[in-house]
Amino acid sequence: MVGWILKKIVGSKNQRELRRLAPMVRRINEFDEQFKSLSDDALRAKTAAWKDELAKISDPEEQWNRLNEILPEAFAVVKNAARRLKERRHSFSVVEQPMTWDMVHFDVQLVGGMVLHRGRIAEMATGEGKTLVATLPLYLNALTGRGAHLVTVNDYLARRDAEWMGALYNFLGLTVGCIQHDQEPDVRRQQYACDITYGTNSEFGFDYLRDNGMATTREQQVQRGYHYAIVDEVDSILIDEARTPLIISGPATISTHQYDKWKPLIEQLVRKQTMLCNRVASEAAEKFEQGDVETGGRLMFKVKLGQPRNKQLLRMMEDTDKRRAIDKAELSFYTDTRKEELFALKEELFFTIDEKSNESDLSEQGRAFLNPDDPNAFVLPDLISEFTEIDLDETLSDEEKDKRKSERQQHCDEQAERIHNISNLLRAYCVFDKDVQYVVEENKVVIVDEFTGRKMPGRRWSDGLHQAVEAKEGVQIDRETQTLATITIQNYFRLYQKLAGMTGTAETEAAEFHDIYKLDVNVIPTNRPVARKDHNDRIYKTRREKYNAVINEIRDHHTKQQPVLVGTVSVEASELLSRMLKREKIPHNVLNAKFHMQEAEIVARAGQPGTVTISTNMAGRGTDIKLGPGVPELGGLFVLGTERHEARRIDRQLRGRCARQGDPGGSRFYVSFEDDLMRNFGAADRMTKIMERFGLEEGQELEHRWLNKSVETAQKRVEQRNYLIRKRTLDFDDVMNMQREVVYTYRNEVIDSEDPRKLIYEVIDEAVPAKLKEYLEVDEPNYSGLIHWVNTTFPLGLTKEKAQFDTRSVDENAQFLITRIKEAYERKSSHEEPTAVKSLERYIILNAIDRLWQEHLYAMDALREGVYLRGYAQKDPLIEYKTEAYDMFVELMANIKNEVLHNLFRSTSNLQAFENFLASLPQFLLREDAPTAPMASAPARARQPQPVGAMAGVAMDGDGAGEVSIDLPVRRSLPKVGRNEPCPCGSGKKYKNCCGRTA
């Protein structure tokens, strides 16, 4: 109560902050009046002067302070330039469409610009001109010369806004770039070099991954830093898309999937389950007719476990008595005392489906159907026990033990692959629906974004799920992919020194923005009061009743020529409504994932008289709906939601499409108990009782503001669950992010280094002593193992006598080896082409980093999937993940250094140069008695052979004399001579009877 009174007296925190900005707005307008007298050149000169001044300030903190000082003047320059363009009716082209500039910044837009400059989120209602607002802070922050980025949700909006607002920036003397999906690296580099760059979040993120994880030279990198970014539709990008990491993939080296093999069996299994559930539902219907409600409820709960979307089940859920019986049976089975009964009930089905977690689980009956001859087909062997048994079997030799272990490991891999493939196919058939989660286009499965309804070409579900859906739809099954580089959206945007965002709906997620991104939300008041009337939700028992009511309301509005925007949550729902409207002969436009190209045009026409537009969710965001002539008198645009979304934010976005800039408008949502939200998270039982109390009949609805609260409660539950998922994703990715930063920093250090040999010598200085400790700092020093490692890694040709490791300390041995390795490397480098040596040295390090980092990502994915099982041992999976991830990372860095050492003498800048180098060295035979073809010249100079390791390469004498030599297998200097061919010596005899006798 006290808080409410204080808020009334002093205002909310948001209101107080906006009041503090009011004096700044007055100063901006005063400067704007002063600048009216300036010429165009004088106005542009201010841009050049500020850029020169800020370029001389190297400290970012000082630059920020100076930007804050010039903010009123800079904002006034932008506003004044916009006014000049409007007064001159400046014409230009935007996405091949003619455009005339007709905008000047309102005072509330100046406030929005200041909020964005301060690194916050500005919540501005739809139609309040967020695109124009962004020009103010972008102009100001671009003056530093470090680049300012504006991030949008799709390529069309990025291009449209860059060309549209580019007229203003170009007038002021700034350059504007735009990143598009199909641009070449050279073009991208030019766009990033501009003062201001527009693009999508995925393009910015993928460029970061390519620059840091794949580029091998500075010229191949396109980005130039992360100074300042504004994220348009910030809730969509930082929240809706944050659960999906950005991944650059390459084809896996081997493909082991068996989806084609198991698809027919899974189809049969799904059919058998459908028949079983239909039969059980029929039995339940008979029990209900006989008055045995308890048994009927139990049977229908069984159907719900096996087929949650069974038609008979959904029809029975419309009946309040039957619904209550099913809910009662479900509640009773989930009590601790009936866990065994629940397990037995599940075993009566072939498999069970959990809609909430999108998972499916085979029962024993299902496993027996898929593999009747092998009861252990779905049991993973205990490799530890089996390996122990093999090791204890004294009748087996070491080779046989290794062979047995390899066979058991292969068997385990095959078992795991089979279980994984079948699980994915079950999910594909039972949980993923065509035209809801995905569409099929041009023989490919294309994922549909659940929040925006947009198609996401190029994106694939991970872990083989995409291949399972491809097998289900009978399209080409693409090869499995392997992760080459990955980052989450959250961690990419946390790279920026200053981040801001703008959207129409951020207030409900303010806590998440603050917790994860340290972004505060300011709600900017509208330029004119909002005239939209939001009606109470209408709640029906069934979807059928709901859709009939929706069609009736659309007909009523269409009859009086009032435009209607109908929002749906899936492609399937939009196409169903379209079919119903066609039956009613009501003309309409459909905007969903299948018609992405016409998105903006269809949305822009949605405000014309008599127009009916069906839109999946928030397709067409970023495009204003302007009312046609006579529409305001009819009540403006009416927004009709056919279902409440999981997030209140999305519903608010849909409502916000009408009543822009003080226009009239209205909105209403229709809800049924069969909607996914109400079935999974809503208080359907309580709602059912209310309906019974009122004695509602077929087609009648409930409507009250208290019921709106009940629906919002269900939405809050889902929002909280999704937030926890995103937070958990971030907690895990923070571990990977720290590792990524270390690896990418090291990688960039290699790319930027003028002297990569210095880095190679650092690797030698660090890795060699560590390796010596492995061999020598143990109970029994392993000198022979150390010598073997040295000789297989470096061309030193050491023997135990020459190395004399046992006469020195570990540190002295390390110094001895480091000196010899560097001497050998200097000699090798002297024979390389001087211009290519630096590139070769960079390549040696980068190749080691990239290959092992990719393997590390694969191992980390496996760890992340399996670490959740630690929860059964009462251990926190996150702590376990952090501990193991650290150990794996330490091992990764050590392996990178060892890989560099391994490749140091196995790489060359030019094959011809290397062969010339080899030819210049004294050669000797590995075996003196090796057979040779006869030669006319004198016999080759023989030397006593020296033992070298497995490496074929340069060999340096072990006595330290400094002579460099090479051990080579004997090569023929003449073509091979057949046994019955004439002898090459000229005797006229056959080779086998002449020189060949001694060969």
Side-chain angles (χ1 to χ4, degrees):
M1 187 67 183
V2 174
W4 182 84
I5 294 170
L6 282 172
K7 191 178 286 188
K8 284 293 179 185
I9 297 171
V10 300
S12 65
K13 180 186 176 188
N14 187 70
Q15 290 168 336
R16 293 195 300 274
E17 289 184 1
L18 295 181
R19 278 203 296 269
R20 278 197 288 270
L21 296 175
M24 192 75 80
V25 173
R26 286 194 292 274
R27 284 191 64 198
I28 294 168
N29 289 326
E30 287 167 7
F31 277 119
D32 178 35
E33 286 297 320
Q34 294 174 23
F35 294 159
K36 285 181 181 178
S37 59
L38 296 178
S39 65
D40 289 356
D41 289 339
L43 196 67
R44 270 191 287 269
K46 287 187 170 293
T47 302
W50 281 327
K51 286 185 79 173
D52 290 342
E53 179 191 349
L54 289 162
K56 295 171 185 173
I57 303 173
S58 57
D59 182 27
E61 197 65 38
E62 289 183 29
Q63 276 192 337
W64 296 130
N65 294 335
R66 182 58 184 147
L67 289 179
N68 291 332
E69 290 170 8
I70 65 172
L71 184 148
E73 273 190 88
F75 277 26
V77 165
V78 179
K79 182 174 181 178
N80 196 271
R83 179 180 284 105
R84 294 181 189 212
L85 292 178
K86 182 180 179 181
E87 289 169 353
R88 297 167 193 177
R89 299 190 58 76
H90 177 68
S91 298
F92 53 103
S93 176
V94 175
V95 198
E96 283 89 39
Q97 299 295 320
M99 178 79 77
T100 303
W101 188 274
D102 63 347
M103 298 178 292
V104 182
H105 303 78
F106 301 128
D107 284 356
V108 291
Q109 290 175 317
L110 299 177
V111 174
M114 285 186 278
V115 168
L116 291 175
H117 170 69
R118 293 182 176 196
R120 297 181 176 184
I121 292 173
E123 180 179 304
M124 302 182 72
T126 302
E128 290 295 304
K130 289 187 285 291
T131 307
L132 184 64
V133 170
T135 58
L136 299 161
L138 283 176
Y139 169 81
L140 178 60
N141 286 274
L143 295 173
T144 61
R146 296 170 184 257
H149 297 166
L150 189 130
V151 187
T152 63
V153 290
N154 63 34
D155 275 350
Y156 169 80
L157 289 179
R159 183 184 168 196
R160 185 202 72 178
D161 292 355
E163 293 179 5
W164 190 10
M165 299 299 116
L168 184 59
Y169 300 129
N170 293 331
F171 179 83
L172 290 169
L174 293 182
T175 55
V176 187
C178 178
I179 307 296
Q180 295 284 285
H181 176 65
D182 51 358
Q183 286 174 340
E184 293 296 319
D186 290 343
V187 179
R188 286 174 181 268
R189 196 176 303 105
Q190 293 168 11
Q191 306 305 312
Y192 280 114
C194 293
D195 295 314
I196 297 166
T197 306
Y198 284 73
T200 64
N201 58 305
S202 55
E203 291 303 318
F204 282 118
F206 285 135
D207 281 338
Y208 166 78
L209 291 175
R210 281 188 285 262
D211 279 4
N212 290 278
M214 302 175 80
T216 55
T217 63
R218 174 55 67 191
E219 291 69 37
Q220 291 175 358
Q221 295 180 324
V222 296
Q223 292 185 335
R224 62 184 181 112
Y226 310 97
H227 170 62
Y228 177 71
I230 297 176
V231 182
D232 192 10
E233 307 297 2
V234 66
D235 56 319
S236 176
I237 291 174
L238 296 191
I239 291 182
D240 298 343
E241 298 192 25
R243 281 184 290 176
T244 308
L246 297 175
I247 297 173
I248 292 182
S249 300
T253 49
I254 54 170
S255 183
T256 56
H257 77 75
Q258 305 163 7
Y259 295 114
D260 290 334
K261 174 185 173 183
W262 292 104
K263 177 189 172 182
L265 277 171
I266 294 296
E267 280 184 340
Q268 290 179 42
L269 187 70
V270 171
R271 276 199 298 271
K272 286 180 79 71
Q273 176 98 327
T274 304
M275 290 165 62
L276 172 64
C277 288
N278 287 339
R279 189 169 67 249
V280 172
S282 300
E283 289 176 26
E286 291 176 10
K287 295 293 181 185
F288 279 128
E289 284 178 17
Q290 295 166 8
D292 190 352
V293 177
E294 187 176 340
T295 307
R298 179 188 178 281
L299 291 170
M300 288 315 296
F301 171 57
K302 181 177 172 181
V303 174
K304 187 177 179 181
L305 286 173
Q307 215 174 25
R309 297 175 190 173
N310 181 279
K311 290 181 180 177
Q312 291 188 63
L313 171 67
L314 294 177
R315 275 201 298 273
M316 285 192 192
M317 295 292 272
E318 296 171 14
D319 186 294
T320 52
D321 291 332
K322 292 173 184 173
R323 173 194 284 275
R324 189 186 296 111
I326 296 167
D327 290 344
K328 187 177 178 182
E330 182 172 2
L331 285 170
S332 68
F333 270 110
Y334 280 113
T335 57
D336 288 342
T337 54
R338 300 191 68 183
K339 278 186 177 178
E340 290 184 8
E341 288 181 66
L342 177 62
F343 178 75
L345 189 70
K346 289 180 177 180
E347 287 300 313
E348 293 173 17
L349 299 161
F350 290 97
F351 55 86
T352 55
I353 298 171
D354 185 346
E355 261 196 313
K356 287 185 183 180
S357 60
N358 277 0
E359 292 293 338
S360 57
D361 185 32
L362 273 176
S363 66
E364 200 60 49
Q365 190 180 178
R367 296 185 193 105
F369 173 81
L370 292 173
N371 230 326
D373 301 326
D374 184 1
N376 294 321
F378 294 91
V379 178
L380 287 176
D382 183 356
L383 286 181
I384 295 175
S385 301
E386 293 187 5
F387 283 4
T388 304
E389 287 177 17
I390 293 170
D391 287 334
L392 295 174
D393 191 343
E394 296 178 359
T395 62
L396 299 175
S397 66
D398 289 344
E399 291 78 12
E400 287 173 326
K401 286 180 181 179
D402 288 342
K403 185 180 177 183
R404 291 268 184 99
K405 286 180 182 179
S406 177
E407 288 171 356
R408 297 313 299 159
Q409 180 68 57
Q410 186 176 352
H411 172 67
C412 180
D413 292 344
E414 289 171 0
Q415 292 276 80
E417 186 71 34
R418 182 193 303 122
I419 295 168
H420 183 64
N421 286 178
I422 289 171
S423 173
N424 274 339
L425 277 169
L426 271 178
R427 290 170 67 198
Y429 273 94
C430 302
V431 179
F432 288 81
D433 295 329
K434 184 179 176 182
D435 289 339
V436 180
Q437 283 97 345
Y438 65 91
V439 293
V440 176
E441 278 187 356
E442 298 176 3
N443 205 35
K444 286 189 177 296
V445 170
V446 181
I447 300 174
V448 173
D449 188 305
E450 64 172 309
F451 288 94
T452 62
R454 292 191 176 100
K455 290 177 294 186
M456 299 190 288
R459 290 202 185 180
R460 295 174 66 80
W461 286 303
S462 60
D463 209 25
L465 178 60
H466 208 93
Q467 282 92 335
V469 176
E470 287 170 335
K472 168 192 170 184
E473 294 298 337
V475 302
Q476 178 185 334
I477 302 176
D478 289 341
R479 198 167 174 179
E480 286 120 313
T481 54
Q482 179 180 337
T483 301
L484 303 181
T486 177
I487 191 172
T488 57
I489 293 287
Q490 292 142 318
N491 276 319
Y492 172 71
F493 283 109
R494 280 158 52 167
L495 292 170
Y496 282 90
Q497 295 170 19
K498 189 162 71 169
L499 181 66
M502 50 188 188
T503 179
T505 49
E507 202 175 12
T508 56
E509 311 291 346
E512 182 167 351
F513 283 124
H514 184 270
D515 291 348
I516 293 178
Y517 302 97
K518 302 293 180 278
L519 289 172
D520 290 323
V521 176
N522 285 133
V523 181
I524 311 299
T526 55
N527 186 45
R528 296 173 185 166
V530 177
R532 183 184 70 238
K533 185 176 181 183
D534 295 329
H535 301 275
N536 290 327
D537 294 0
R538 286 185 174 166
I539 301 174
Y540 293 82
K541 282 197 289 185
T542 68
R543 272 191 177 145
R544 178 168 44 81
E545 295 172 54
K546 178 183 76 173
Y547 282 131
N548 288 334
V550 166
I551 297 298
N552 291 335
E553 177 142 13
I554 293 173
R555 189 193 303 109
D556 293 343
H557 291 292
H558 181 67
T559 303
K560 63 178 188 178
Q561 289 293 293
Q562 183 180 6
V564 181
L565 175 66
V566 184
T568 64
V569 295
S570 69
V571 179
E572 184 184 43
S574 66
E575 293 189 341
L576 170 65
L577 272 172
S578 177
R579 289 194 296 272
M580 294 175 76
L581 287 172
K582 281 176 184 172
R583 280 205 301 269
E584 297 292 324
K585 296 184 170 51
I586 297 175
H588 59 280
N589 294 315
V590 180
L591 176 63
N592 60 30
K594 293 187 172 181
F595 304 103
H596 181 65
M597 299 299 289
Q598 304 96 332
E599 189 174 289
E601 289 79 0
I602 294 175
V603 169
R605 294 197 300 268
Q608 299 305 308
T611 305
V612 176
T613 307
I614 301 174
S615 163
T616 42
N617 209 306
M618 278 319 299
R621 279 180 79 169
T623 305
D624 277 346
I625 300 175
K626 297 182 180 178
L627 300 184
V631 171
E633 290 74 23
L634 297 170
L637 176 68
F638 191 85
V639 169
L640 197 155
T642 60
E643 194 171 325
R644 281 283 195 169
H645 198 274
E646 285 185 350
R648 291 169 293 163
R649 211 166 19 84
I650 309 294
D651 293 342
R652 289 181 63 208
Q653 286 164 3
L654 186 59
R655 286 193 198 275
R657 299 316 298 264
C658 66
R660 60 181 292 280
Q661 287 293 324
D663 289 339
S667 70
R668 186 193 302 279
F669 278 89
Y670 282 74
V671 180
S672 85
F673 287 140
E674 292 180 0
D675 295 345
D676 290 343
L677 175 72
M678 300 305 291
R679 281 193 304 115
N680 292 332
F681 300 97
D685 192 44
R686 194 150 46 90
M687 293 274 203
T688 306
K689 288 177 182 174
I690 294 171
M691 287 196 146
E692 283 180 351
R693 196 176 301 142
F694 285 101
L696 294 180
E697 297 176 1
E698 175 82 17
Q700 284 188 289
E701 80 275 1
L702 282 173
E703 181 182 336
H704 196 280
R705 65 175 183 273
W706 289 355
L707 294 176
N708 297 359
K709 294 285 185 187
S710 185
V711 175
E712 283 189 11
T713 301
Q715 290 176 308
K716 285 177 183 175
R717 287 195 196 115
V718 188
E719 285 171 6
Q720 184 64 22
R721 187 194 67 155
N722 289 341
Y723 168 61
L724 291 174
I725 291 171
R726 289 190 292 268
K727 188 77 171 65
R728 198 69 168 168
T729 300
L730 186 67
D731 288 339
F732 276 91
D733 195 64
D734 275 344
V735 179
M736 273 298 298
N737 197 49
M738 287 186 281
Q739 297 184 3
R740 187 188 301 112
E741 284 178 8
V742 172
V743 170
Y744 283 178
T745 301
Y746 182 35
R747 207 177 177 283
N748 283 323
E749 186 184 348
V750 174
I751 290 172
D752 295 335
S753 174
E754 291 296 321
D755 185 13
R757 185 168 303 183
K758 183 181 176 184
L759 297 174
I760 282 180
Y761 282 176
E762 283 178 9
V763 169
I764 294 172
D765 291 339
E766 292 172 15
V768 171
K771 207 69 178 169
L772 259 71
K773 287 176 182 175
E774 285 181 30
Y775 285 104
L776 304 183
E777 288 193 350
V778 289
D779 294 337
E780 292 185 15
N782 185 1
Y783 294 114
S784 59
L786 175 59
I787 290 171
H788 180 263
W789 173 76
V790 170
N791 286 333
T792 54
T793 310
F794 312 107
L796 301 185
L798 290 181
T799 63
K800 189 173 182 180
E801 293 73 26
K802 291 173 183 175
Q804 295 183 346
F805 287 134
D806 52 350
T807 64
R808 306 185 197 93
S809 67
V810 174
D811 291 340
E812 289 170 344
N813 279 326
Q815 196 53 51
F816 165 73
L817 279 179
I818 289 169
T819 304
R820 299 292 299 277
I821 292 165
K822 288 181 180 178
E823 286 173 1
Y825 184 70
E826 290 292 342
R827 289 188 176 86
K828 174 185 175 292
S829 299
S830 67
H831 290 273
E832 300 282 0
E833 292 188 16
T835 55
V837 169
K838 286 186 178 180
S839 298
L840 173 65
E841 289 170 341
R842 281 195 194 94
Y843 172 78
I844 289 170
I845 303 176
L846 292 176
N847 185 57
I849 293 171
D850 293 347
R851 189 180 72 78
L852 293 168
W853 176 245
Q854 289 167 23
E855 290 180 7
H856 181 70
L857 290 176
Y858 186 78
M860 290 289 283
D861 282 345
L863 172 64
R864 188 162 173 176
E865 284 173 23
V867 80
Y868 288 102
L869 297 174
R870 309 278 177 92
Y872 291 113
Q874 304 301 311
K875 294 179 180 178
D876 184 345
L878 181 60
I879 292 172
E880 293 291 301
Y881 179 75
K882 286 179 178 178
T883 305
E884 294 222 11
Y886 176 75
D887 293 340
M888 289 168 66
F889 185 68
V890 170
E891 186 180 349
L892 166 72
M893 298 309 289
N895 287 344
I896 287 174
K897 291 168 187 171
N898 289 331
E899 181 83 355
V900 170
L901 296 183
H902 182 266
N903 291 333
L904 204 54
F905 292 91
R906 288 174 168 82
S907 307
T908 181
S909 58
N910 182 285
L911 185 60
Q912 186 62 47
F914 194 60
E915 287 181 350
N916 293 341
F917 163 54
L918 297 181
S920 70
L921 301 177
Q923 300 178 12
F924 60 86
L925 302 183
L926 290 174
R927 296 201 332 267
E928 285 191 328
D929 59 346
T932 60
M935 299 171 62
S937 59
R941 178 171 63 90
R943 281 189 49 173
Q944 193 67 23
Q946 292 184 13
V948 297
M951 177 183 143
V954 182
M956 187 173 156
D957 278 354
D959 58 8
E963 181 186 348
V964 180
S965 60
I966 183 166
D967 296 347
L968 289 174
V970 173
R971 295 182 181 177
R972 298 182 184 86
S973 57
L974 295 173
K976 182 178 179 179
V977 182
R979 284 173 54 75
N980 292 315
E981 292 179 15
C983 188
C985 71
S987 65
K989 297 179 181 178
K990 288 184 178 181
Y991 177 60
K992 67 181 179 181
N993 296 324
C994 187
C995 298
R997 281 184 305 181
T998 58

